Amino acid sequence: MNRTRTVAFHTLGCKLNFSETSTLSRMLEQEGFEKKGFDDQADVYVINTCSVTDNADKECRQLVRRIQRRAPGSFVVITGCYAQLKPAEIASIPGVDLVLGAAEKFNIARHIGELSKENGARICSCDIEEVSGFNASFSQNDRTRTFLKVQDGCDYNCSFCTIPMARGKSRSDSIANVVKQAEQLAAAGVKEIVLTGVNLGDFGRGADGNNRYDENFYGLVQALDKVAGIERYRISSIEPNLLTNEVIGFVANSDKFMPHFHIPLQSGSNTILGLMRRRYKRELYADRVNLIKTLMPHCAIGVDVIVGFPGETDEHFKETFDFLHSLDVSYLHVFTYSERDNTRALEIQPVVPIAVRNERNKTLRNLSYMKLQYLTQQHSGQERKVLFEAFNKNGMMEGYTDNYIRITTPHSKEWENALVEWKL
Ligand code: SF4
């Protein structure tokens, strides 16, 4: 394996996965690997999988087939949530050489060094209960915006979710470490940091997931607010029961934390929320949104919602629709429920027919479209600051206002990675 020098990555799933892929890539580059595009020839291909993606298995197979056609002698490494959940299944895919579970992911350089074509696929994985320790990660594609992972794992047991099985117990970095990383990113020219985690609001349990909170999310945002050079922070997604009034109040008064939240709701029916084992009722969710909008009328609020959860009748769905319709939120991320092995939701009846799930998804996506149009119209004519990305996409560039309205405009070099006052 000494001559192996090129590596290519493909990431499926969430922002956390993207930031981890970025870190894996930097680790291998430090070991002397040259990074290639996934469609280029490479000696090693790494696929970072996701368990939330539908058809993770099918997608993985297709990607491996693509690799085999392009570079038949290359090594294929599969890691990420799906690799932790179904290692044997993945190892049986023809062409896979190595499956790395959650605990081994960040030892990738060593494992690649030991690869050989001789003994079929190797699985390096352990039970998720044994996974502890925190691996800091951040993505850095261009200098503008970075996803910084500050927390991993989850101790909740939502009945539809496999993430706790794939990522282990809730654990996090220390405030001091996160601040240090933010300072380094600022020195590298990064202007915006998006704080990410599996259950971000649960920040503060330390690297080994203590039962007590040594620190908390409110302390983290206060400390980060003081880092010179970072102009913007966003909170990627936070559970409504963990989004405290203190945090909302702090964001409202901060110049650096953007008026933008993403708060998973999942259902607007208390009955379904109960079946999902979520830790709040719709009334709490509405209170959070109302407080945010009272303090920051211009704030963008994104919502995750799942349709077609077992037991969701037309009445329950209507409750969700009416609730979201009446709430002053800005856009929805709509997920169609799909069955996952080893989850409690499988025991809930009746199952919603696929056609009904798809229909409900469409209805909510239409609602989301209307909400987003409304957000844009509401601010039309206002001046807001846009941070433009350092990218030239076919002569165009993109950026976001503080409250997450996307602006696309002809490319201008001087606006790259700059905050520009913009008339909407
Ligand atoms: S809060 Fe629920 S949905 Fe989110 S990761 Fe934890 S168990 Fe999964």
Side-chain angles (χ1 to χ4, degrees), residues 154 156-158 160-161 163-164 198-199 239 278:
C154 181
Y156 287 12
N157 277 306
C158 300
F160 53 82
C161 185
I163 287 177
V198 170
N199 189 344
E239 291 289 297
R278 301 287 289 165

Side-chain angles (χ1 to χ4, degrees), residues 277 310 337 343-349:
R277 300 187 163 226
Y337 172 77
T343 54
R344 284 172 189 264
L346 295 178
E347 294 155 21
I348 304 171
Q349 295 289 335

